[in-house]
Amino acid sequence: SWINTAIALIPRYKNLINQLKPNTSFSISEYSFGGDDCITSTIAHSEALAVMATYGVFAATRWSKPLPGAMVTNAYNIFTNYDGNGSNIYDSKPMAVNVKDSNINTVTTYSFIAADKSKMFVV
């Protein structure tokens, strides 16, 4: 990156909010990470949703709604409809943990553990 330092966008803005207007929610709007039927876009959306969940983003809206059956819909279904019956990780108020695998340079996984410890989700 031309910035040459950690960007830490969400933590930085949440810090500013806590300093200037405590108890204000943080949201992200109008994001998009590529085409609806591209595997790299689907992975990027999954990663972004996991990061937003990890940092407690209140709401996030994509630039446009994916077309029905589009591959990128799978990124959202992991979090909001993982069994096809509307089950989602948000109902159980999960805790998120970011773990990096030292064997591969850029592989990241996110584990979400349900508050009642009955389920674990790994993305």
Side-chain angles (χ1 to χ4, degrees):
S1 169
W2 59 271
I3 297 173
N4 204 25
T5 188
I7 297 170
L9 181 71
I10 296 172
R12 185 175 60 205
Y13 276 97
K14 286 187 79 170
N15 254 348
L16 284 171
I17 290 168
N18 286 335
Q19 290 172 16
L20 302 173
K21 190 79 171 158
N23 300 316
T24 300
S25 298
F26 177 77
S27 65
I28 296 174
S29 64
E30 299 185 2
Y31 70 88
S32 181
F33 299 107
D36 288 356
D37 286 313
C38 173
I39 189 63
T40 55
S41 173
T42 301
I43 293 168
H45 279 85
S46 297
E47 175 89 11
L49 292 167
V51 168
M52 290 184 240
T54 299
Y55 287 102
V57 172
F58 173 74
T61 54
R62 188 171 182 257
W63 176 253
S64 62
K65 180 181 177 181
L67 295 173
M71 184 185 300
V72 76
T73 304
N74 294 325
Y76 295 94
N77 287 344
I78 290 169
F79 297 93
T80 62
N81 190 21
Y82 62 83
D83 64 356
N85 292 315
S87 296
N88 65 78
I89 67 170
Y90 301 109
D91 284 344
S92 59
K93 307 249 187 224
M95 304 176 335
V97 180
N98 180 355
V99 181
K100 292 197 176 204
D101 181 351
S102 62
N103 294 326
I104 302 172
N105 292 332
T106 57
V107 172
T108 305
T109 59
Y110 294 85
S111 299
F112 299 87
I113 303 168
D116 65 2
K117 298 188 172 137
S118 66
K119 297 176 187 159
M120 180 160 109
F121 309 91
V122 179
V123 179

